[in-house]
Amino acid sequence: MQNNQIIEYEEKLRKAMLASDVKMLDELIHDNLIFVNHFGQMLNKEADLEAHRSGVLHFTDIQVMDQKVIPLDGTAVTITRVSLQGTVGS
């Protein structure tokens, strides 16, 4: 997979996060996702989907600050640093 394809998928992911589109997020996010939230907690895919599904998490803006694409034998890993705006727990 080419880097430009990965970047296109990352943009689809950003848009799905802004819309809290759980169906699209489920399709785009790998089952083994691990991300670090603003409290430094490591969370998995299901925790991410549930936050969007329940409405506990709502993003109003997501700006990509830095993104690295690491190709790995027919797949890739992305490491992305973003600036987020939104609400949590409202």
Side-chain angles (χ1 to χ4, degrees):
M1 191 174 281
Q2 301 294 325
N3 278 12
N4 59 342
Q5 289 175 301
I6 301 294
I7 299 302
E8 287 176 25
Y9 280 113
E10 286 290 320
E11 179 59 15
K12 287 181 183 181
L13 178 62
R14 188 186 74 80
K15 289 179 179 178
M17 290 170 67
L18 283 167
S20 286
D21 184 341
V22 175
K23 183 176 187 260
M24 182 60 69
L25 289 169
D26 191 32
E27 290 177 21
L28 290 169
I29 296 173
H30 192 279
D31 290 342
N32 293 331
L33 167 80
I34 298 201
F35 71 95
V36 179
N37 71 9
H38 58 295
F39 295 118
Q41 299 167 315
M42 292 182 7
L43 302 170
N44 64 16
K45 177 180 178 175
E46 188 50 43
D48 186 38
L49 294 178
E50 183 55 32
H52 285 280
R53 187 181 295 117
S54 68
V56 167
L57 178 64
H58 176 72
F59 292 118
T60 56
D61 190 39
I62 302 172
Q63 296 294 319
V64 176
M65 308 297 287
D66 184 37
Q67 190 166 63
K68 291 180 179 38
V69 177
I70 304 166
L72 297 170
D73 299 327
T75 188
V77 172
T78 61
I79 301 169
T80 307
R81 187 169 53 100
V82 297
S83 171
L84 301 170
Q85 291 184 0
T87 58
V88 177
S90 299

